[in-house]
Amino acid sequence: MSIKPPVICACVLAAAAFSPLPLFAGSPQSGYSQGSGAGTDSVADRAIARREEDVRRAKAALDSGDAAMKQRDYETAFGQYKAAADLLPESPVTHHLRREALDNLDDAGCRLAEQRISEGRYEDAKNLCKAVLDDKYDPGCHRAIVIQAHLEDPDYYNKTITPRFRGNVEEVKNLFIEAKSYEQTGRYDKAYQDYDKILNLDPYNVAARKGQEEVNGFRDKYAVQGYEETRSELLWELDNGWQMPVHKFGVKNSEAFNNSTTDVRHTEYITSKLNRIIIPKIEFRDATVREAVDFLKEKSRDLDTQEPDPTRRGVNIVLQLDNGGEAAAPEAAPAANPAAPAAGAIPGLEPAPAPAASLPAAAPAAAAPAVNSAEARITLSLSNIPLMESLKYICQLANLKLKIDTYAVSIVPPSVNTDELITKEYKVPAGFMGVAPTVGGNLLSAPATRGGGGGGAAPPDATQGGTGIVARQSAMDYLTQNGVQFPPGANAVYFPATSRLIVHNTATNIELVDAIVESSQPAVPTQVAIEAKFVEIQQQNEKELSMNVLLGQFNIPGQHSVFAAGGTQGNGIPVSASDYPLPFPSSGPLQEQPLTSGLRSGQAAISADAINALLFPATGGASALAPAIFGVGSVMSDPTFQVVLRALDQKKGVDLLSAPRVTTKSGQRAVIEIVQEFRYPTEFDPPQIPQNFGGGGSSGGVGSTSTIAVFPVTPTTPTAFETRNTGVTLEVEPTVGSDNYTIDLNLVPQVVEFEGFINYGSPISTINPASLGLGAVTAAVTSAPSSVVLTPNVINQPIFSTRKVTTSVTVWDGQTVVLGGLMREDVQKVQDKVPILGDIPLLGRAFRSNVDQHLKTNLVIFVTARLINPAGDNILDLEEKDETVEPLPLPSAPAEAPQPEGPLFQK
């Protein structure tokens, strides 16, 4: 039976597909000779090679899929298994490989579908199930069928869980982990911020709120501890304020803190060189201006020996001659002797120190020929003259002008305006512009500006609808006060928001502004912290030793009709049983009467001065007596008596500490006030008494029926008021010296206290009309007073005590100065005795009273000034440093003695 070529090709291809080794080769062993079927063999070879390559690629895809499955990268694994299944046809040879690829495809596809479901991507999961159940792969995959059925069931999965929701859940988990980490490391603010981020993603997350509550608990514990620490620190500052400053020894003097001078290249730099360089001899004979300038430039470089930098020696002189042919000639010929020039020829020119050669004099009748400035000829002979003066002579002879710039000297024609206005911008420090001065230079003495009631008041502040911030000076006013002139058209503007100063002025004035701005820019901005302590110590010592003797009625011995007894209390303190330790009869024949009623005791013993007596009048009563410490009395004796010993030793101390502190910039005035506004009337309308009267009122005691006529009176009415601040006020203006160590202080501390009122008015009274017998009125009156008080007419005026120090001192950084010490001691001694009885030796002590009172007051004001930087740290390092001990060198072995040399000592 014969086989046709097409059938052979098909068989060959089938065999090639199921054979792992090539069946055809161009070798004799193949049993197939090459001949007319060579084209068919080539096709078969290519098909076999392609099938082998597909199998190799499928195996590689299976290996990659297995690796991805181990990494749980189901998406990559599914793609690799799908590629392997597509490369492997269904045949007996590749059946096991294809089955492995399909099983792995089912597993990877189902796992990936479940992952997509967990991510909320349900459509992607459906597509994956459809791909697995495709007819090309495994339409009977049970796992994929179940997942697909669950996806089609609307109640099985929550389709509202979207990928965004899943992403938020993962982000919330990460934020919880991060928040806990921050919380464990004590970064509560960051933890709270993470919980806020969680609530932005999940507004109803209870765990986040609990986390915030936990964080707030930690922060609250810290805040409570911070409160306790702050309170303890403030109490420590209060107690430490009583500590007296200790004098410091070994403080460095200010010379150690001098700053090095800066190298300023302004016109004063060139001007100083022009005046410093002395030309030994100048001899010009019909020389041009250029030749003269070249000679002076060369000489300035040779003679500028004080300049250490060779590249900066000499003076740059620039010629800006008028080449336009402008005719000019000297206005006046110079004098024969340049050392004594004609008046007005060179303003401000000093005579040359050495004699100079004569200059040719111009004929008075003939006019000088017009020459060009560049062609002007100079004949000049001078000796030992500054370079500045020589340039002035040259400019005068050549009818030119001298203009000094920042880096050079320009010689210009007379027509050039050397005073042209230029504009320059400066970046100045924040405190460059000062505040406008207050009227009188003192806020405490400034006139009141608040209206109301026709009286004065304290300066307005934010609590009164105004402002207490002092207005800032304008730029022109500030610069004018510092010597800068503003010709017509010149101005200056300062922008506080950007700290920029723009000045439009002449070059000379601009240079002065340069110097002012540069001097106001310290290397490090310094501020001054001022602390003023008002320490007032009051000590009141009172000592008393007195006796009170009470004596009852008794019969004089030998006389049955003469009796004696104690005295009367008179205007003194009433006798009260509560003031005596032993009971005594207060009535009857045994009534005890005082013998020492005139002896003062307790509060009644000390008389106040005139003002205090008006402010605080002594009150009578038993409470004014000193307590009794011992008593002796008779019991059923005739006469009854009682002797009471009164002794008192009291000490009363009142300590006052006020320590206001304020920080201000150097040269800026600061005021700190701890005050109460005390408003009182100063002007009054007098009382108004009308001419007619009427009405009536009762007079007399209880139950009395007497009546009086009453005048209608308008009492004294205040019309104007003033305000006085009571409390502690500190006004200070510190200025830091150039050494950045010395502080000049202008200080005005004061303490104002309210002491009380004095009534400067007096009652206004009139005669009672009812007592004058005026008809019916008199008939109605049975008894009436002779006068009637119309108005008490009270005019109270306050009394203030002021303790004030005005001074200007200079202190070093961190040092304390005592501004003033006001010491005062009031001593009052009272000795009372009963006449005759008090002079009896020994026994007379029972009839004497001695009281001593010492009132001591000491007020000391301490002011401490410290330099601080903008960070609030002290510029002068005052912290204690640990002592560093340099290690001593280790002991070394002693040097060996030198060995003798020579052949006899050689080994």
Side-chain angles (χ1 to χ4, degrees), residues 321-513:
L321 301 181
D322 185 8
N323 296 324
E326 179 185 355
E331 297 180 1
N337 185 4
I346 304 177
L349 180 64
E350 297 180 359
S358 61
L359 295 174
V371 294
N372 191 290
S373 299
E375 300 175 355
R377 297 289 176 170
I378 299 173
T379 300
L380 185 63
S381 179
L382 299 172
S383 299
N384 294 329
I385 187 169
L387 181 58
M388 170 72 82
E389 304 302 327
S390 61
L391 287 175
K392 288 182 178 180
Y393 276 113
I394 292 174
C395 291
Q396 182 189 14
L397 295 176
N399 193 23
L400 299 172
K401 281 185 177 181
L402 185 66
K403 181 181 179 183
I404 301 177
D405 297 326
T406 304
Y407 294 95
V409 177
S410 300
I411 298 178
V412 297
S415 59
V416 176
N417 183 16
T418 58
D419 292 333
E420 57 187 4
L421 299 179
I422 59 177
T423 302
K424 190 171 183 179
E425 180 181 350
Y426 302 89
K427 185 177 181 180
V428 297
F432 173 73
M433 296 297 298
V435 296
T438 310
V439 177
N442 189 347
L443 275 180
L444 305 175
S445 61
T449 56
R450 183 177 59 177
D461 53 23
T463 63
Q464 303 166 358
T467 178
I469 300 177
V470 185
R472 188 182 297 273
Q473 281 182 296
S474 65
M476 290 187 63
D477 293 341
Y478 177 78
L479 294 176
T480 302
Q481 291 178 2
N482 287 274
V484 181
Q485 298 180 357
F486 286 88
N491 57 14
V493 182
Y494 174 63
F495 298 94
T498 57
S499 294
R500 298 282 180 175
L501 175 67
I502 300 177
V503 181
H504 185 64
N505 211 322
T506 62
T508 304
N509 290 324
I510 288 291
E511 293 159 9
L512 181 55
V513 176

Side-chain angles (χ1 to χ4, degrees), residues 215-233:
V215 168
N216 287 332
F218 286 116
R219 294 199 297 187
D220 183 65
K221 289 181 180 178
Y222 171 78
V224 170
Q225 194 62 38
Y227 159 75
E228 296 292 343
E229 187 277 331
T230 301
R231 186 174 183 274
S232 63
E233 182 179 359

Side-chain angles (χ1 to χ4, degrees), residues 57 446 646 800:
R57 291 170 55 193
R646 300 185 184 277
F800 301 96

Side-chain angles (χ1 to χ4, degrees), residues 836-858:
I836 302 174
L837 297 179
D839 296 330
I840 300 175
L842 299 179
L843 184 61
R845 188 61 187 88
F847 301 93
R848 291 197 303 265
S849 174
N850 296 92
V851 180
D852 291 343
Q853 178 176 324
H854 296 257
L855 181 60
K856 304 176 182 179
T857 303
N858 189 2

Side-chain angles (χ1 to χ4, degrees), residues 697-771:
S698 62
S699 176
V702 179
S704 174
T705 58
S706 62
T707 59
I708 58 174
V710 179
F711 285 93
V713 178
T714 302
T716 303
T717 305
T719 58
F721 295 85
E722 287 186 1
T723 299
R724 181 73 178 271
N725 292 335
T726 59
V728 179
T729 302
L730 173 63
E731 184 181 7
V732 59
E733 183 182 24
T735 302
V736 181
S738 59
D739 56 3
N740 202 28
Y741 183 62
T742 304
I743 308 172
D744 186 75
L745 297 176
N746 291 325
L747 287 159
V748 184
Q750 66 174 342
V751 179
V752 180
E753 295 178 351
F754 169 68
E755 298 290 347
F757 288 100
I758 292 181
N759 182 14
Y760 289 97
S762 58
I764 299 177
S765 59
T766 184
I767 299 175
N768 187 359
S771 63

